[in-house]
Amino acid sequence: MKLTGAEILIHCLKEQGADTVFGYPGGCVLDIYDALYRDGSIRHILTAHEQGAAHAADGYARATGRTGVCLATSGPGATNLVTGIATAYMDSVPLVAITGNVNVAGLGRDSFQEVDIAGITMPVTKHNYIVKDVNKLAETVREAFYIANAGRKGPVLVDIPKNIQTETAEYEPVPAHGYTPKPVAKEALAEAAKAIRTSKRPLIIVGGGAVSSGAADKVRALAERIQAPVSSTLMGLGVYPSSDERFLGLVGMHGTDASAKAFLRADTVIVCGMRFSDRVAGDRSKFRDRKTIIQFDIDAAEIDKNVKTDISVMADLGEILKTLLPLLEQADHADWLKEVNAYKEYEKNTAPAPATKAILAAAKAHTDGDTPVATDVGQHQMWTAQYYPFEKPRTFISSGGLGTMGYGMGAAIGACIGTGKQTLLVTGDGSFHMNLNELCTAVTYKLPLVILLANNNTLGMVRQWQTLFYGGRYSQTTLGRKTDYVRLAEAFGAKGLLLDRPENAETVLEKAFSEEGPVLVDCKIDIDEKVLPMIAPGKSFDSIITKI
């Protein structure tokens, strides 16, 4: 059948299973919006800003495992997507960003609201396209969804000039083509199995790749088979249940003391879908001292990039573990587990207890293991990672690699819409000021969203660094904002509550979680509350700071 380019796009989105698009209309996407209106079967979420749309598509993808889709017009509409696209790229989130542009004949002529969005996004996408022939539009959209989900997942951009949206071409429906994982190299896997069998003190570290591959059950089976403790990167939280006795918590700069000590003592470290970022590996030159490093990763570019490994296997993590498990016998490392549990007990009795720990505990009482929990970036993000007990994958929604302040509100909206579940957003006053406009989106769609705003009137994590490494010179980190968040929430049409003392957390949060629509809780915390422990930048795991 013959359709316009805009109609072909809508049909292809439905082919690929896209049921929701987050976006903001404009002149160069009017034909796409008209086709959306006439079709009526795809839900469109109108955000307050294109960046919010990109973050919402990202949160939707992380929470559901499906591909997020965002839509923006040309020029500033397209450039407003860039931070969200880069955020998804750094954390390997499958996302398809669709932009309009001026007519093909007007490209390169400085036309109104023209920008080379393909050139701009080239470093932060897996691939991008400018569609200059309507006959290639369907094929391009299908490729975009395939690439976004093939191998290491990530964002793809499709730029569609205005005339391509109105020109016609033949369209024939084609079923979505799924990604087939590559086979696992048996020799490397046999070498890894031998090293694991001979290990006396194995440690498993899970990263975001374990979430992407859907390998949580297999990671748990591996830990049980080899009787190994498990640590997690920020992006790996939820892969291994925090309630399990083997779980040691977060690893890296703000990881637990137990994870740091277990890493130093381990003789074999099995890295599952983790890229050895600087915030995890610290001083990379010392990361592999006196231990065997085994890396399982789907991306060849990550093998030996940051840390030289002893054994590496490149394939989908789920496929690796499925093939590895039959090669391993049931191990008995009772003494090793007893040792690491002693680390946990010591830390439990000596670790500082910030006010947000009590607030998060009160919030947990009103959520379950399936509740999506989104964060912005900063101290509140680390407190959530440290103290909120994540039990399942895809429940922790946060910007890891890019560390995007302003991410949380859009991501929480996307996670809430994608799952249909009441969603918790933990944010800080610095981050919230960057994205508070999206509160109107949550109100418009009557989303069951509870926002815990850690209000210390400072850029807390930066202030913490200034305390530790800059002699207490607090240059431009004390915000001095006069914002009344309770009244602000009410102005947007949301419910606003004040939590001025942590001991009132249970009472206030019981009220917050009983509301049907968006609720913002202004949580007052001390300006000098710290995230501890902390490993000094560029230092190794044995340089942990536990007190200030």
Side-chain angles (χ1 to χ4, degrees):
M1 55 182 163
K2 206 154 198 174
L3 300 174
T4 67
E7 292 168 335
I8 289 170
L9 171 64
I10 304 308
H11 279 272
C12 286
L13 290 176
K14 293 193 289 186
E15 273 182 16
Q16 301 303 316
D19 60 5
T20 305
V21 172
F22 302 89
Y24 203 94
C28 281
V29 286
L30 282 177
D31 292 287
I32 294 173
Y33 271 90
D34 189 58
L36 273 170
Y37 181 91
R38 287 184 285 110
D39 177 83
S41 64
I42 294 178
R43 174 175 50 176
H44 181 276
I45 303 298
L46 178 63
T47 56
H49 190 279
E50 291 91 353
Q51 184 173 325
H55 291 325
D58 176 302
Y60 173 98
R62 296 193 203 220
T64 65
R66 301 193 293 272
T67 306
V69 181
C70 57
L71 172 61
T73 192
S74 63
T79 57
N80 283 341
L81 295 177
V82 173
T83 297
I85 293 170
T87 300
Y89 182 76
M90 289 291 284
D91 290 345
S92 306
V93 177
L95 186 147
V96 173
I98 300 164
T99 54
N101 215 327
V102 301
N103 292 339
V104 171
L107 292 174
R109 296 175 181 269
D110 293 331
S111 304
F112 178 66
Q113 290 194 331
E114 179 202 352
V115 74
D116 179 12
I117 193 62
I120 289 169
T121 59
M122 189 176 293
V124 292
T125 52
K126 285 187 70 178
H127 195 63
N128 60 29
Y129 302 87
I130 305 174
V131 183
K132 296 182 178 180
D133 181 350
V134 70
N135 295 289
K136 295 181 180 180
L137 177 58
E139 174 190 347
T140 301
V141 174
R142 290 163 185 153
E143 278 187 11
F145 275 85
Y146 178 80
I147 292 171
N149 288 279
R152 181 175 180 174
K153 302 177 191 296
V156 179
L157 180 133
V158 182
D159 192 35
I160 309 175
K162 190 169 176 60
N163 65 296
I164 302 300
Q165 300 169 33
T166 57
E167 291 173 7
T168 59
E170 287 293 330
Y171 166 79
E172 292 295 334
V174 175
H177 178 52
Y179 171 71
T180 302
K182 296 178 180 179
V184 181
K186 293 184 178 179
E187 289 184 8
L189 199 65
E191 187 180 359
K194 181 180 179 181
I196 293 169
R197 285 196 301 267
T198 57
S199 172
K200 302 299 182 185
R201 297 185 303 279
L203 172 67
I204 298 170
I205 303 180
V206 293
V211 178
S212 297
S213 68
D217 290 345
K218 296 180 182 67
V219 169
R220 186 164 189 170
L222 175 65
E224 292 173 352
R225 181 72 55 85
I226 68 174
Q227 290 291 290
V230 180
S231 295
S232 175
T233 69
L234 188 71
M235 292 291 94
L237 287 173
V239 169
Y240 201 83
S242 62
S243 58
D244 191 286
E245 63 179 1
R246 296 185 191 87
F247 188 63
L248 302 181
L250 201 64
V251 68
M253 176 174 280
H254 296 295
T256 64
D257 189 47
S259 282
K261 288 177 178 175
F263 172 81
L264 291 170
R265 285 277 295 141
D267 61 10
T268 303
V269 177
I270 305 157
V271 175
C272 298
M274 184 195 86
R275 60 187 177 86
F276 298 100
S277 76
D278 57 314
R279 292 300 173 97
V280 169
D283 183 354
R284 291 160 174 157
S285 66
K286 297 182 179 179
F287 191 87
R288 64 189 309 277
D289 286 356
R290 302 179 303 280
K291 54 178 55 61
T292 298
I293 302 292
I294 302 172
Q295 184 178 9
F296 298 148
D297 203 282
I298 198 169
D299 187 356
E302 295 297 344
I303 303 295
D304 294 337
K305 182 176 82 173
N306 292 323
V307 170
K308 176 67 177 174
T309 61
D310 297 284
I311 303 166
S312 60
V313 182
M314 191 197 75
D316 175 78
L317 180 63
E319 292 298 310
I320 291 173
L321 298 182
K322 182 175 73 174
T323 312
L324 173 67
L325 283 165
L327 304 179
L328 302 173
E329 299 173 352
Q330 183 63 49
D332 181 5
H333 294 134
D335 290 343
W336 171 229
L337 291 176
K338 183 178 179 180
E339 179 181 337
V340 296
N341 278 323
Y343 302 153
K344 288 173 63 177
E345 283 300 311
Y346 176 80
E347 184 171 19
K348 185 167 67 174
N349 295 325
T350 59
T356 46
K357 183 176 182 179
I359 296 171
L360 289 167
K364 177 58 183 174
H366 296 281
T367 62
D368 57 35
D370 292 317
T371 300
V373 179
T375 79
D376 268 294
V377 171
Q379 286 180 315
H380 67 273
Q381 179 190 35
M382 293 300 113
W383 284 322
T384 305
Q386 290 174 334
Y387 300 122
Y388 188 93
F390 293 96
E391 296 294 313
K392 295 181 180 179
R394 301 199 177 280
T395 54
F396 180 64
I397 316 295
S398 193
S399 170
L402 197 63
T404 306
M405 292 177 68
Y407 168 83
M409 193 70 196
I413 288 169
C416 188
I417 287 171
T419 63
K421 298 171 182 174
Q422 187 174 50
T423 298
L424 175 64
L425 168 62
V426 186
T427 186
D429 50 340
S431 288
F432 187 68
H433 268 107
M434 292 186 176
N435 66 4
L436 59 84
N437 55 333
E438 294 302 340
L439 188 54
C440 71
T441 307
V443 170
T444 299
Y445 293 96
K446 301 177 182 178
L447 300 182
L449 178 61
V450 177
I451 304 164
L452 301 183
L453 191 152
N455 181 6
N456 54 7
N457 214 10
T458 188
L459 301 179
M461 187 62 82
V462 187
R463 180 184 176 90
Q464 180 169 325
W465 280 50
Q466 288 173 334
T467 300
L468 291 170
F469 311 117
Y470 292 86
R473 295 182 294 279
Y474 301 118
S475 176
Q476 303 303 314
T477 49
T478 303
L479 297 174
R481 310 291 192 208
K482 303 301 182 184
T483 309
D484 184 329
Y485 296 101
V486 173
R487 293 172 66 187
L488 177 74
E490 292 170 350
F492 272 108
K495 181 73 174 179
L497 298 172
L498 176 64
L499 175 53
D500 54 358
R501 292 191 299 275
E503 56 266 29
N504 295 336
E506 291 183 12
T507 302
V508 175
L509 293 187
E510 182 178 4
K511 187 175 182 180
F513 280 93
S514 67
E515 295 287 336
E516 293 184 0
V519 183
L520 186 149
V521 184
D522 181 2
C523 306
K524 304 292 187 181
I525 62 172
D526 187 86
I527 194 171
D528 284 313
E529 197 80 85
K530 299 293 189 296
V531 173
L532 296 172
M534 176 178 180
I535 296 173
K539 300 297 183 180
S540 59
F541 279 78
D542 54 3
S543 64
I544 197 163
I545 299 168
T546 58
K547 295 180 181 180
I548 297 179

